[in-house]
């Protein structure tokens, strides 16, 4: 069995620590729009991942602006290229990227990151009727 020298071990632990730190920092910011400061924004109240892209961009831009304004360093918070997760009022979520912090629509949804809202108890699957009972064995 080959023994690793101290330098090799230190180098390996350095990379593991660097990867772990990057993973935690890459997770970024998650903004839940049900908070008091976001709930009543005009472009957020009715937005879901099923909304048009322009509506989602506008809502996410409003959320980003309020998040920046409430931070201690508004000019360095959420710079261009940073990403954050938005949880819309219905529980659906998506990741967005800041493309231009100065623009009213300076946020771009990341394709494929949209997650539908979790099913609520009592929800009826699409195509089924709430009052229809299953007909097992009917011909």
């Amino acid at each position: 069995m080959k023994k690793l020298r101290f330098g090799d071990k230190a180098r390996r632990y350095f990379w593991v620590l660097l990867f772990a730190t990057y993973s935690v920092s890459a997770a970024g910011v998650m903004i839940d729009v049900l908070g008091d400061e976001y709930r009543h924004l005009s472009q957020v109240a009715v937005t879901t991942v099923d909304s048009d892209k322009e509506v989602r961009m506008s809502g996410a831009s409003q959320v980003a602006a309020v998040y920046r304004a409430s931070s201690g360093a508004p000019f360095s918070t959420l710079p261009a290229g940073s990403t954050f997760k938005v949880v819309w009022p219905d529980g659906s979520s998506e990741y967005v990227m800041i493309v231009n912090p100065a623009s009213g629509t300076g946020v771009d949804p990341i394709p494929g990151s949209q997650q539908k809202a979790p099913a609520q108890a009592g929800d009826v699957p699409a195509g089924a009727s709430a009052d229809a009972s299953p007909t097992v064995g009917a011909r």
Side-chain angles (χ1 to χ4, degrees):
M1 187 154 188
K2 185 178 176 181
K3 288 190 175 184
L4 293 176
R5 294 187 326 242
F6 176 74
D8 292 336
K9 286 182 183 179
R11 191 175 303 121
R12 183 171 292 168
Y13 285 119
F14 169 76
W15 286 110
V16 169
L17 181 63
L18 182 68
F19 176 74
T21 304
Y22 173 76
S23 297
V24 170
S25 67
V29 176
M30 182 187 81
I31 302 174
D32 187 354
V33 298
L34 293 178
D36 291 334
E37 63 271 15
Y38 306 107
R39 183 183 338 202
H40 302 294
L41 295 173
S42 63
Q43 295 298 318
V44 172
V46 294
T47 305
T48 70
V49 294
D50 295 323
S51 302
D52 290 335
K53 181 179 178 180
E54 291 77 22
V55 172
R56 296 188 342 255
M57 288 171 59
S58 181
S61 293
Q62 278 189 338
V63 168
V66 171
Y67 183 82
R68 277 189 208 100
S70 64
S71 75
F75 297 109
S76 63
T77 304
L78 296 177
S82 60
T83 60
F84 65 96
K85 181 178 181 179
V86 178
V87 180
W88 297 112
D90 71 338
S92 60
S93 65
E94 67 183 315
Y95 284 92
V96 296
M97 180 186 297
I98 305 292
V99 290
N100 183 358
S103 172
T105 55
V107 174
D108 196 21
I110 297 175
S113 68
Q114 292 77 20
Q115 297 290 318
K116 298 279 188 183
Q120 301 292 323
D123 281 353
V124 179
S129 172
D131 59 326
S133 59
T135 54
V136 179
R139 293 187 186 191

